[in-house]
Amino acid sequence: MSYVDRVLDTLKTKNAHEPEFLQAATEVLESLRVVIDRDKKYEEVSLLERLVEPERVFMFRVPWVDDAGKVQVNRAFRVQFNSAIGPYKGGLRFHPSVNLSIIKFLGFEQIFKNSLTTLPIGGGKGGSDFDPKGKSDFEVMKFCQSFMTELGKYIGADTDVPAGDIGVGGREIGYLYGQYKRNTGLYEGVLTGKGLTFGGSLARTEATGYGLVYCVEEYLKSISDDYKGKTVSVSGSGNVAIFATEKVFQLGGKVVTMTDSNGYVYDSEGIDLDLIKEIKLVKRGRLSDYAKAKKNVKYVEVGKGKVWDVKVDIALPCATQNELDLNDAKELVKNGVKIVGEGANMPSTQEAADYLLEKKIAFFPGKASNAGGVATSALEMSQNSGRTSWTFEEVDGKLKNIMINIFHSIDGASKEYGLPGNYIAGANIAGFKKVADAMIAQGIV
Ligand code: NDP
């Protein structure tokens, strides 16, 4: 049995109750076969066994008092997965679905994503099963304060620097930062995605969505094409989805869909982004409100159809994991899709991704195409350390260069290992090599 197979076997036994983590780790190890089989140095130091085991995991309770005076208790996690190339870096997710498997999958992906940015950041992730939806600002603040009172013991500007993710935006980061400062007395870059008045970076809010679109743009350029006249479907209507949509419009494409957990809208004229921003970012409302506010918009409830049924040239899944399955992939291909770029983390199931590759669709895995967010977080860390702030154009320019480099790095790695056009393998290989070399150089730790 090969080294990779032996590690996969043990992984499945040890993590049988962590399906998302198994899915992510299996995908990575499978695509590393070409590297691992070629060079025995990895097996000699049990590198894969170490890679799939987090350096440490914290799990803690978060007690807080709701507006009715009742004590609520949530469960929270921080997974510090790998610090070979820099301090742990990765977001915090607040969503009722959060569990250890999901946080481990996200932390594992983050190792390779962060490596691809070429910046000195290790992999980590955290979160809680707290649901900010329907809570008052006070309740969200009280939760964040309690959460940070515990998390704050394990993080720091040079050790572990969390950021936002699903359910954690500027409001939550502000409350978390305030509590960290209050507890420690330190005014340091311990979180990214901060407000602009207290150390945040211009263009961080836009970075993940913009970066996704830049990555796909560079691919289009490589085949002498561009966004002009292309129809695009986007899922989600949160941070990543909104700014991916904005950049597609700026580059001449037309986004015709968005989703939330209740349904999707199809607007053949092109999504009215000002209206979406008003509903989602200001009123914290639902997409059904968009369909009520604008004429000729189709609204399809969850269970009555999927956003991937819509005919488009490019699909950008930007909501959550496993939202695009094999049937969806078949529907997209049947309708002539040419490119699928992941804005979310692992939004495509393994079967969907395999099918898209088989059908020669240009498929960009999230760990490459959504790396612009964490890259810009690292730029925020640099600005904080240097006690300085850069203009929007400076940060956006650096982000664009990073995404261009990521495209060429995954494209190059896929070709070097005889898998041209397989950007899943390209991203895993390119991300892995730097981390693995750093781990080997640092000894058995
Ligand atoms: P937001 O919370 O801003 O938005 C999430 C969007 O996805 C919302 O429209 C939400 O709908 C929808 N959604 C979330 N969970 C589900 C679900 N289980 N089923 C259906 N719809 C769902 O999050 P972000 O935009 O920040 O993150 C989106 C994705 O991008 C995630 O996978 C995240 O890990 C990834 N990502 C984010 C980065 C960032 O910088 N923010 C960086 C890199 C990756 P509803 O409002 O109804 O819940």
Side-chain angles (χ1 to χ4, degrees):
M1 196 188 260
S2 76
Y3 176 42
V4 170
D5 284 323
R6 272 186 283 118
V7 175
L8 277 172
D9 259 15
T10 314
L11 190 78
K12 281 175 194 147
T13 314
K14 275 193 175 176
N15 303 282
H17 302 295
E18 295 177 357
E20 293 86 0
F21 172 58
L22 271 182
Q23 182 184 340
T26 305
E27 179 221 276
V28 170
L29 294 198
E30 287 289 357
S31 63
L32 290 179
R33 278 182 198 280
V34 282
V35 182
I36 304 288
D37 290 349
R38 204 184 270 191
D39 196 336
K40 293 290 164 217
K41 72 177 178 187
Y42 302 111
E43 185 173 358
E44 280 160 15
V45 295
S46 297
L47 193 111
L48 293 182
E49 291 89 329
R50 288 193 278 145
L51 190 70
V52 297
E53 210 55 66
E55 289 177 20
R56 69 192 65 77
V57 175
F58 301 101
M59 178 171 139
F60 51 98
R61 69 167 180 250
V62 185
W64 57 281
V65 183
D66 69 17
D67 287 348
K70 191 170 179 328
V71 177
Q72 303 283 347
V73 183
N74 286 96
R75 176 177 283 183
F77 308 88
R78 183 72 183 167
V79 175
Q80 296 182 336
F81 225 116
N82 193 304
S83 61
I85 62 169
Y88 311 104
K89 182 89 198 82
L92 298 170
R93 175 176 293 191
F94 292 169
H95 192 272
S97 64
V98 163
N99 57 36
L100 185 58
S101 172
I102 288 181
I103 299 299
K104 275 179 69 182
F105 120 64
L106 290 164
F108 186 71
E109 290 281 287
Q110 200 81 43
I111 302 170
F112 307 95
K113 181 189 307 196
N114 293 2
S115 167
L116 285 173
T117 66
T118 70
L119 300 170
I121 39 180
K125 198 80 187 188
S128 171
D129 59 6
F130 173 75
D131 188 358
K133 244 184 267 158
K135 304 285 191 303
S136 70
D137 280 356
F138 258 131
E139 288 177 322
V140 171
M141 183 180 77
K142 284 184 283 184
F143 172 82
C144 287
Q145 291 178 338
S146 180
F147 178 87
M148 183 52 90
T149 293
E150 186 58 26
L151 181 73
K153 297 169 187 168
Y154 317 114
I155 61 175
D158 293 315
T159 50
D160 184 354
V161 184
D165 190 77
I166 291 177
V168 179
R171 174 182 61 170
E172 290 76 16
I173 293 288
Y175 295 150
L176 292 164
Y177 189 70
Q179 187 70 1
Y180 179 84
K181 190 164 59 64
R182 183 187 193 193
N183 288 349
T184 61
L186 296 170
Y187 204 107
E188 61 173 10
V190 69
L191 291 166
T192 56
K194 298 185 291 298
L196 294 176
T197 52
F198 55 98
S201 172
L202 285 160
R204 171 61 188 93
T205 309
E206 293 83 354
T208 309
Y210 277 23
L212 165 67
V213 177
Y214 290 147
C215 180
V216 170
E217 185 190 28
E218 191 59 17
Y219 162 74
L220 284 166
K221 229 184 242 177
S222 76
I223 54 166
S224 308
D225 203 351
D226 57 33
Y227 277 99
K228 291 197 187 82
K230 300 219 169 19
T231 307
V232 180
S233 59
V234 166
S235 68
S237 46
N239 172 271
V240 181
I242 286 175
F243 292 102
T245 300
E246 183 165 282
K247 187 50 74 178
V248 168
F249 279 126
Q250 285 174 9
L251 296 177
K254 181 166 78 168
V255 174
V256 291
T257 69
M258 287 194 125
T259 76
D260 63 20
S261 47
N262 299 107
Y264 79 86
V265 289
Y266 171 62
D267 187 342
S268 60
E269 292 168 5
I271 292 287
D272 178 339
L273 202 52
D274 289 337
L275 182 55
I276 285 283
K277 284 184 178 176
E278 171 73 16
I279 292 171
K280 285 290 171 182
L281 302 181
V282 181
K283 295 183 176 155
R284 294 182 189 272
R286 311 303 303 158
L287 268 185
S288 49
D289 301 334
Y290 180 88
K292 282 178 206 148
K294 194 163 179 257
K295 281 198 187 119
N296 301 323
V297 172
K298 187 167 134 191
Y299 177 71
V300 181
E301 276 174 40
V302 161
K304 297 192 174 157
K306 283 186 83 172
V307 66
W308 314 120
D309 301 341
V310 175
K311 180 175 165 49
V312 287
D313 304 303
I314 302 174
L316 303 176
C318 297
T320 193
Q321 66 272 0
N322 293 328
E323 55 166 316
L324 194 164
D325 64 21
L326 179 59
N327 285 335
D328 302 327
K330 286 183 175 166
E331 200 62 33
L332 281 169
V333 171
K334 196 176 87 191
N335 284 326
V337 82
K338 296 285 181 297
I339 300 171
V340 176
E342 295 188 330
N345 284 310
M346 206 170 73
S348 315
T349 63
Q350 184 69 55
E351 295 76 24
D354 289 345
Y355 181 79
L356 292 168
L357 280 186
E358 183 193 315
K359 294 292 169 190
K360 304 268 182 271
I361 306 303
F363 177 80
F364 294 91
K367 66 169 72 71
S369 48
N370 73 27
V374 74
T376 308
S377 276
L379 300 179
E380 182 174 329
M381 289 163 73
S382 297
Q383 292 170 78
N384 292 164
S385 310
R387 300 275 189 272
T388 186
S389 59
W390 301 330
T391 63
F392 187 96
E393 289 68 28
E394 273 177 285
V395 181
D396 189 37
K398 289 179 199 290
L399 165 67
K400 190 165 182 180
N401 275 335
I402 289 169
M403 298 315 298
I404 289 173
N405 288 337
I406 288 179
F407 168 72
H408 290 291
S409 141
I410 65 174
D411 186 47
S414 72
K415 288 175 179 153
E416 185 186 339
Y417 284 88
L419 301 161
N422 182 342
Y423 300 127
I424 299 181
N428 289 336
I429 293 167
F432 167 78
K433 283 175 100 176
K434 179 177 170 192
V435 175
D437 286 349
M439 286 174 73
I440 291 171
Q442 290 169 26
I444 310 297
V445 289

